[in-house]
Amino acid sequence: MTTQTSHLPFDLSAAMNHLTAKDQKLAELIANTLPFQMDADPLQSPYEALLEAITYQSISGKAAATIYGRIKALSATGRAPTPQEMLKLRKPVLRKAGLSGAKVLAMKDLAQKTFDGVVPTLEQAEKLSDEELVERLVSVRGIGAWTVEMFLIFRLGRPDDLPIHDLGVKKGWSVAYGKKHMPKPKELLAFGERWRPFRTVASWYMWRAFERAGYAATNKIRPAKVRKRRKQTATRSKTRRGNTS
């Protein structure tokens, strides 16, 4: 993978200086791992990026790449099927390519909403705020906040997105900061305030921390702690009632 710093819509040097000054642990991670890089296809439209993202949902990268290759083979262009082509493709053909029924429906809805103008062109997307894009794109069947966050980060190169529900980011944070538990989303969001306005870059390094640690280490990281206040309160109440009777 080649470094794509010249195509970033933000100043990477400014981002690095800010993050290393604000966070010593992150500064150490930056110094000891790969330089930040993005590798986006400059010709890929939002529709194509989201079509690919749907393919990759909930399956291994290798399997998804194979299936996406089959989907592209159904197009006359050699790229992903256009919205018009996708709407015409029969469901059994897409299922034969390896898609689940839910993903077929999601891709059909994506194509229709692209055709209707709900899914913006790349030029339109670059002018919309993160909030506006989330509102539009989550209206597409099968596309949630995580998928939109990946689109904002990897296709648009937005500098300040923090995917607080992403498993790799959460476990990478636990590795980088020596925690035995993953953070709660709210905890990670609060912690990430120090990274503004370059939370995307910090997130990228959390993924690198996760990768460097390896699955043997990251599988030992436990889920976020959940406080059981209500249960404890109920138990105390029962105890008190028992003591007074």
Side-chain angles (χ1 to χ4, degrees):
M1 186 184 291
T2 55
T3 304
Q4 299 290 328
T5 55
S6 61
H7 301 296
L8 291 173
F10 61 91
D11 187 332
L12 183 58
S13 296
M16 291 302 189
N17 291 336
H18 173 81
L19 294 172
T20 53
K22 291 286 185 176
D23 189 329
Q24 184 179 352
K25 290 284 187 182
L26 183 55
E28 292 171 5
L29 182 60
I30 289 170
N32 294 307
T33 191
L34 296 169
F36 178 85
Q37 52 197 9
M38 287 289 183
D39 196 20
D41 176 359
L43 300 177
Q44 190 182 50
S45 67
Y47 160 77
E48 289 178 309
L50 293 168
L51 195 74
E52 186 174 11
I54 290 169
T55 308
Y56 275 74
Q57 288 172 351
S58 304
I59 58 175
S60 72
K62 186 177 180 180
T66 299
I67 293 169
Y68 194 59
R70 293 175 190 154
I71 294 169
K72 289 196 291 185
L74 299 173
S75 172
T77 64
R79 295 181 66 86
T82 65
Q84 292 83 354
E85 287 176 324
M86 179 56 68
L87 289 171
K88 290 178 182 178
L89 284 168
R90 296 177 65 241
K91 291 180 182 178
V93 174
L94 293 167
R95 290 297 305 273
K96 190 176 180 180
L99 294 172
S100 66
K103 288 185 179 182
V104 170
L105 293 175
M107 287 186 177
K108 292 281 187 181
D109 193 46
L110 173 66
Q112 185 61 56
K113 285 188 167 67
T114 302
F115 193 73
D116 294 340
V118 176
V119 177
T121 64
L122 182 59
E123 186 178 4
Q124 290 168 340
E126 288 172 343
K127 295 176 182 177
L128 293 171
S129 69
D130 291 359
E131 292 74 20
E132 288 169 325
L133 283 165
V134 169
E135 184 178 357
R136 281 203 194 194
L137 299 180
V138 297
S139 71
V140 177
R141 183 181 186 130
I143 292 180
W146 180 87
T147 302
V148 180
E149 286 169 345
M150 297 303 104
F151 170 72
L152 291 171
I153 291 171
F154 292 105
R155 182 61 193 93
L156 296 185
R158 294 289 169 91
D160 196 35
D161 278 282
L162 175 58
I164 57 175
H165 297 284
D166 184 88
L167 188 64
V169 170
K170 290 192 292 186
K171 286 196 172 186
W173 181 88
S174 299
V175 170
Y177 297 93
K179 306 294 184 180
K180 294 181 179 179
H181 292 80
M182 284 188 287
K184 295 177 183 178
K186 287 184 178 179
E187 180 185 357
L188 184 56
L189 187 65
F191 186 92
E193 284 299 312
R194 71 192 64 187
W195 299 333
R196 282 185 183 273
F198 300 109
R199 292 180 298 171
T200 291
V201 180
S203 300
W204 191 90
Y205 279 102
M206 295 304 104
W207 279 311
R208 303 292 77 76
F210 172 77
E211 290 174 351
R212 288 177 68 202
Y215 287 109
T218 55
N219 284 343
K220 295 178 182 178
I221 297 171
R222 297 191 289 272
K225 290 182 179 179
V226 178
R227 293 183 181 178
K228 298 180 180 179
R229 289 181 176 176
R230 290 182 180 179
K231 188 175 180 180
Q232 290 172 352
T233 302
T235 302
R236 288 170 186 162
S237 297
K238 287 179 181 177
T239 303
R240 286 172 187 152
R241 285 198 299 270
N243 290 339
T244 54
S245 61

